[in-house]
Amino acid sequence: MIVFDLKCGGGHVFEAWFGSSAAYEAQRESGLVACPICGNAEVTKAVMAPNVALKGNQRATPPSAPTSGEAPPPEAVKAAMAAIAAMQAKMLEKSTWVGTAFADKARAMHLGEETVTQIHGQTTPEQAQELIDEGVPVAPLLVPVVPPESRN
């Protein structure tokens, strides 16, 4: 895994983890990387400060820890959740809903039997674990999705 400091077109700097530099580039080119604060997809790598180790006879001053019980303000939590939901909705626009056939479709995609590139749907925890055990790359959605057939 590799961590990058990224900067969006709106000027926000944020951190993101990727499997490799190539994985970052592929996701960015596919429009899958966007600012978690404003949703801007114009993302570039930001300048990162190197982590230089201190000499053996020097001690780093530990950062001050937040006071016990201190929580972020509700407005910040709401804004973060809204940004996550907006980002997920944007990503799902490029994805195909497959419903309860998710496990079968994901497995078929992994084996090269399906040409669809991005899907989302429903599966049981047991089916999801089987996919993971088989090496099929899957991940849960952070925000629940209402199936298209259940919408008004």
Side-chain angles (χ1 to χ4, degrees):
M1 295 299 279
I2 187 167
V3 64
F4 290 122
D5 283 343
L6 304 177
K7 185 175 184 178
C8 77
H12 301 112
V13 177
F14 57 99
E15 184 177 275
W17 291 78
F18 298 91
S20 65
S21 290
Y24 159 74
E25 290 297 334
Q27 289 181 34
R28 187 185 59 76
E29 289 172 7
S30 298
L32 298 175
V33 179
C35 177
I37 299 165
C38 66
N40 189 321
E42 295 176 27
V43 176
T44 59
K45 290 181 186 175
V47 177
M48 295 177 64
N51 185 6
V52 179
L54 297 172
K55 288 183 175 181
N57 64 351
Q58 294 179 331
R59 290 188 184 173
T61 304
S64 60
T67 307
S68 178
E70 195 175 301
E75 299 80 28
V77 174
K78 287 179 185 178
M81 289 302 298
I84 289 169
M87 177 59 59
Q88 178 176 297
K90 184 174 181 176
M91 290 173 56
L92 291 181
E93 289 174 2
K94 301 173 186 175
S95 181
T96 302
W97 172 259
V98 295
T100 57
F102 179 81
D104 294 333
K105 294 282 188 180
R107 190 173 285 110
M109 288 171 58
H110 184 67
L111 297 173
E113 299 167 356
E114 285 278 343
T115 58
V116 178
T117 58
Q118 296 179 34
I119 62 170
H120 63 287
Q122 298 171 322
T123 190
T124 66
E126 295 79 16
Q127 290 172 322
Q129 188 59 54
E130 288 173 6
L131 291 171
I132 291 167
D133 292 344
E134 294 171 24
V136 179
V138 296
L141 293 176
L142 297 175
V143 179
V145 174
V146 176
E149 64 272 8
S150 298
R151 294 184 190 149
N152 290 337

